[in-house]
Amino acid sequence: MVSVLRKICVVTGTRAEYGLLYWLMKEIEADEELQLQLIVTGMHLSPEFGLTYQEIEKDGFLINEKIEMLLSSDTPVGIAKSIGLGVIGFAESLARLKPDVVVVLGDRYEILAAAQAAMIAKIPLAHIHGGEVTEGAIDESIRHAITKMAQLHFAAAEAYCKRILQLGENPKHVFNVGTPGLDNIMKLKLIDKAKLEKELDFTFGAINFLFTYHPATLEEITPEEQLKKILAALDCFPDARIIFTKANSDAAGRAVNQILEGYCAENPQRAKLFASLGQLRYLSTIAHVDAVMGNSSSGLLEVPFLKKPTINIGSRQNGRLKAASIVDCSEETANVVQAITKALSPEFKTIVDGAISPYGTGKASVMIKETLKRVDLKNIVMKKFYDLNQ
């Protein structure tokens, strides 16, 4: 009797998300009882954001479907239309692939489109990084919406498991696995400084920062105004060398990138902007800088594990669990200067060295794969709201 492989369809739309999914995809691919299907969409297919689907192919993965959904506009209307295009594209792709489970991660609008299509097609949905809170971004609502569409939940911490239960999900299908982002740090051999400088065509100095800033989509003050205040703070550290990575394709993301391009053009000796570093170069850069700045979730998830300080700017990550190595500040220039000064101090280095990540131990991918492999999928799409008083 020929055994039928369980088809696991993984969806990725951004460079950061792909980095978190990489080892899970490797685990699925290597398992003789599973078949990996891969759908690539969003920023991966955009020249503006580096055509990062090519990096996925270089890593040896077969891309089963490419779904074009990004419009050239980054306005709220443009984003809403992109979601609509995404739902259409995912509906068609899932009908062709007929997966047993669809795996999505996080809270971006591309993932919302995939979740909607899977739900309507009655395909079980597994969601990674649910239950979290990011009060400064529209991602907050998207994340919880995906939780209600999903049947399997892989949370990054126990507190997030509890929040998923609070949303009425069955405890039998909620798993605390930690963040798969730590798997990269445990398994990858990072690039040494000399080789990294050559690959990036960038010379590190006495002080170095890695900077990523995404629009805080629920703020009343525009991301452009906020970013200009932050860059003014960086000017107070003229000896610092800065590696910038571009913002994502959220509303106002292009405006943020234009400002960063202008700043790097004005400061070519100490600043350089990258559309994407790729996971290995990104983690290696963290290892060789003095602090990571901005409002990316990576500053909370992966950076503490590498024993580097994070300067977390603004409200975008409000509500997330934070290690002791995180310095929070507003976008006001004086507050950013104060935070940078604190992060670079010898006293704070002692705190950073002793900081413990609240996001697991770097074994999430194996745990997720084994659950996807063993879980009973029969009737799993017929969810019952689980009341906490049961």
Side-chain angles (χ1 to χ4, degrees):
M1 182 176 177
V2 178
S3 62
V4 179
L5 301 183
R6 178 170 284 188
K7 294 182 287 186
I8 310 297
C9 180
V10 177
V11 178
T12 176
T14 73
R15 63 183 189 257
E17 169 199 75
Y18 169 65
L20 296 175
L21 291 167
Y22 175 88
W23 287 107
L24 173 59
M25 290 160 57
K26 283 290 187 185
E27 288 287 339
I28 295 170
E29 195 175 50
D31 196 299
E32 295 180 351
E33 297 179 40
L34 300 175
Q35 178 185 340
L36 174 66
Q37 297 177 326
L38 181 58
I39 298 179
V40 169
T41 188
M43 293 163 60
H44 284 308
L45 305 179
S46 169
E48 181 180 359
F49 296 101
L51 290 173
T52 47
Y53 80 89
Q54 296 172 346
E55 297 298 320
I56 298 174
E57 291 178 333
K58 286 179 183 176
D59 286 340
F61 292 112
L62 170 67
I63 298 174
N64 298 91
E65 298 274 339
K66 295 176 183 175
I67 298 176
E68 293 277 7
M69 61 176 285
L70 284 189
L71 298 178
S72 59
S73 168
D74 64 351
T75 66
V77 172
I79 298 299
K81 288 183 176 180
S82 291
I83 294 172
L85 288 174
V87 174
I88 294 170
F90 278 108
E92 294 171 343
S93 291
L94 294 177
R96 284 190 290 267
L97 294 176
K98 295 180 172 55
D100 295 298
V101 182
V102 173
V103 178
V104 296
L105 184 148
D107 43 41
R108 287 191 50 77
Y109 61 84
E110 300 97 334
I111 301 309
L112 176 63
Q116 291 179 70
M119 176 184 66
I120 297 300
K122 301 178 185 177
I123 301 170
L125 185 68
H127 184 211
I128 303 170
H129 270 292
E132 300 177 16
V133 172
T134 48
E135 296 169 359
I138 198 171
D139 304 359
E140 166 85 355
S141 298
I142 292 175
R143 185 184 311 108
H144 298 325
I146 294 172
T147 290
K148 292 311 301 176
M149 288 185 256
Q151 289 76 32
L152 299 169
H153 309 275
F154 298 102
E158 188 60 35
Y160 300 147
C161 286
K162 291 179 180 178
R163 194 170 286 123
I164 293 170
L165 297 179
Q166 203 173 332
L167 288 167
E169 297 302 296
N170 190 331
K172 292 181 180 179
H173 294 151
V174 181
F175 308 92
N176 178 15
V177 297
T179 176
L182 300 188
D183 296 25
N184 281 309
I185 300 172
M186 296 292 289
K187 295 183 178 183
L188 290 176
K189 186 180 187 325
L190 301 184
I191 305 169
D192 63 54
K193 183 184 285 188
K195 184 179 179 183
L196 184 63
E197 286 182 324
K198 186 176 181 180
E199 288 192 11
L200 300 181
D201 190 24
F202 179 90
T203 303
F204 289 99
I207 302 173
N208 306 282
F209 301 135
L210 174 59
F211 185 102
T212 304
Y213 187 80
H214 301 300
T217 45
L218 292 181
E219 290 278 10
E220 292 185 7
I221 302 173
T222 67
E224 301 96 299
E225 292 177 87
Q226 295 169 334
L227 183 57
K228 288 175 182 177
K229 294 178 182 179
I230 298 167
L231 295 177
L234 291 178
D235 287 337
C236 296
F237 298 84
D239 295 331
R241 293 178 179 262
I242 312 154
I243 292 176
F244 292 91
T245 60
K246 282 189 174 182
N248 57 35
S249 58
D250 286 334
R254 288 180 175 87
V256 166
N257 291 335
Q258 286 175 358
I259 293 172
L260 294 179
E261 287 168 359
Y263 186 85
C264 291
E266 294 171 2
N267 298 274
Q269 300 304 314
R270 69 187 198 98
K272 190 167 184 178
L273 176 64
F274 293 85
S276 172
L277 288 173
Q279 194 66 11
L280 178 57
R281 293 195 302 183
Y282 177 77
L283 292 173
S284 300
T285 301
I286 294 173
H288 297 304
V289 298
D290 298 283
V292 175
M293 299 179 59
N295 61 5
S296 170
S297 60
S298 176
L300 280 61
L301 298 176
E302 292 133 314
V303 176
F305 205 71
L306 284 164
K307 301 301 181 184
K308 296 290 181 175
T310 297
I311 300 157
N312 178 54
I313 304 172
S315 65
R316 191 170 187 269
Q317 301 300 334
N318 281 1
R320 270 208 167 108
L321 297 176
K322 294 171 184 173
S325 57
I326 312 295
V327 182
D328 291 320
C329 67
S330 73
E331 294 89 349
E332 295 300 322
T333 301
N335 289 341
V336 177
V337 170
Q338 186 178 23
I340 294 173
T341 303
K342 178 180 179 179
L344 296 179
S345 69
E347 296 80 11
F348 196 70
K349 186 179 186 308
T350 302
I351 294 174
V352 172
D353 289 342
I356 298 173
S357 170
Y359 294 105
T361 58
K363 299 177 182 177
S365 297
V366 172
M367 296 167 70
I368 295 170
K369 185 266 293 187
E370 285 299 320
T371 302
L372 293 173
K373 180 177 175 179
R374 304 298 180 193
V375 69
D376 185 1
L377 298 177
K378 186 177 180 181
N379 297 324
I380 197 171
V381 296
M382 297 181 66
K383 289 207 306 183
K384 178 182 177 180
F385 194 95
Y386 190 92
D387 289 309
L388 290 178
N389 59 2
Q390 285 185 209

